[in-house]
Amino acid sequence: MTNGSPEGPPPPWPDIHRTVLSTLDALASSTGWIPTAATVGIEPIFERVLQQICEPQGLTPSAYIDLLTRDATLRGEVQKRLAKLMENPALVNMRREAQRREAEHQLHVLHYLLSGQKPPDWVWTSLDEEQQEQLRDAAESGEEKDPVLLPRVQGALRKLAMTPTPYGQCEDCGTAILLERLQLVPWAECCAACQRKREGVPDEPPEPQVPVLYF
Ligand SMILES: [Zn+2]
């Protein structure tokens, strides 16, 4: 937005950048931000940090983001810290818990969709009109019955019901399946790499180590 007034001195970017880094470092050793990050992600927290640092200088967070977009070194320094925040074990656990509840609901809905069974009230009332319509159609026609997906959905629901739950763990290598993958494929049995092996697809180069793609 602004890069400082044409007559005034240039914005104190080095100071601002240092303050951003030290604020993110301080966050990493505190815990108050974790519940927020678990529900809305790291972006709003990062934005608030930028606002608090940029606004007293008469600058906008987007001017700082512009600077990062142009400078790979500065960007890397910020990304490394955001990635560290995202890897906080308490945050990962909370996100995994939230994902598990979401997956459980999705899988129940899918189970009724695919099997054409009448869902119990707690599932029915949680659906939007379109989903209710789909369920009605499925129940009437039986066409939605899927011989491949249904057993996978049932398998995932069985895992969710076990204690301790093996849901979200790769069946082949035992590592935790990435949350992003589980969001897309809640019935996934394996991590992406093992799934490729199962399907005989050649391995892809490892995914980038910095999972935060904020800019
Ligand atoms: Zn695996």
Side-chain angles (χ1 to χ4, degrees):
M1 210 59 90
T2 169
N3 288 309
S5 83
E7 308 92 49
W13 290 128
D15 286 348
I16 289 174
H17 183 64
R18 262 195 304 275
T19 313
V20 169
L21 296 188
S22 62
T23 307
L24 293 178
D25 285 338
L27 270 186
S29 50
S30 68
T31 54
W33 56 278
I34 291 175
T36 311
T39 46
V40 294
I42 198 78
E43 289 84 0
I45 293 167
F46 183 52
E47 259 162 45
R48 207 168 54 214
V49 164
L50 295 190
Q51 268 166 14
Q52 283 165 358
I53 296 169
C54 292
E55 276 169 9
Q57 307 278 350
L59 298 163
T60 61
S62 61
Y64 177 71
I65 297 285
D66 283 349
L67 176 80
L68 293 184
T69 325
R70 290 192 306 269
D71 189 320
T73 307
L74 302 184
R75 188 168 67 241
E77 288 171 344
V78 172
Q79 277 177 330
K80 203 173 81 186
R81 281 159 177 87
L82 290 177
K84 193 180 166 202
L85 291 177
M86 289 301 289
E87 285 158 12
N88 180 295
L91 175 59
V92 173
N93 277 341
M94 284 176 95
R95 289 181 67 214
R96 211 158 256 284
E97 265 318 303
Q99 206 285 326
R100 192 169 287 155
R101 283 192 298 273
E102 173 65 26
E104 192 158 20
H105 182 247
Q106 278 182 19
L107 289 164
H108 274 295
V109 171
L110 212 53
H111 178 254
Y112 290 109
L113 260 177
L114 296 171
S115 65
Q117 288 173 25
K118 190 187 180 311
D121 283 348
W122 72 267
V123 172
W124 186 255
T125 49
S126 70
L127 303 177
D128 60 34
E129 272 178 37
E130 195 185 333
Q131 289 172 318
Q132 292 184 346
E133 191 63 33
Q134 277 179 310
L135 275 187
R136 266 191 221 103
D137 291 349
E140 278 163 22
S141 70
E143 268 173 26
E144 295 277 344
K145 289 183 187 174
D146 185 322
V148 179
L149 189 53
L150 183 57
R152 297 184 70 184
V153 167
Q154 285 167 331
L157 283 170
R158 263 196 305 277
K159 283 187 190 173
L160 274 164
M162 289 180 204
T163 336
T165 168
Y167 180 78
Q169 234 176 45
C170 177
E171 284 179 3
D172 294 358
C173 72
T175 58
I177 301 173
L178 278 185
L179 285 171
E180 290 72 13
R181 172 163 167 76
L182 284 177
Q183 264 152 16
L184 291 173
V185 191
W187 54 85
E189 289 104 4
C190 318
C191 70
C194 290
Q195 187 67 39
R196 281 195 292 272
K197 266 181 226 151
R198 280 191 182 190
E199 290 169 9
V201 180
D203 222 359
E204 283 173 9
E207 280 152 33
Q209 284 303 300
V210 180
V212 181
L213 303 169
Y214 188 54
F215 29 68

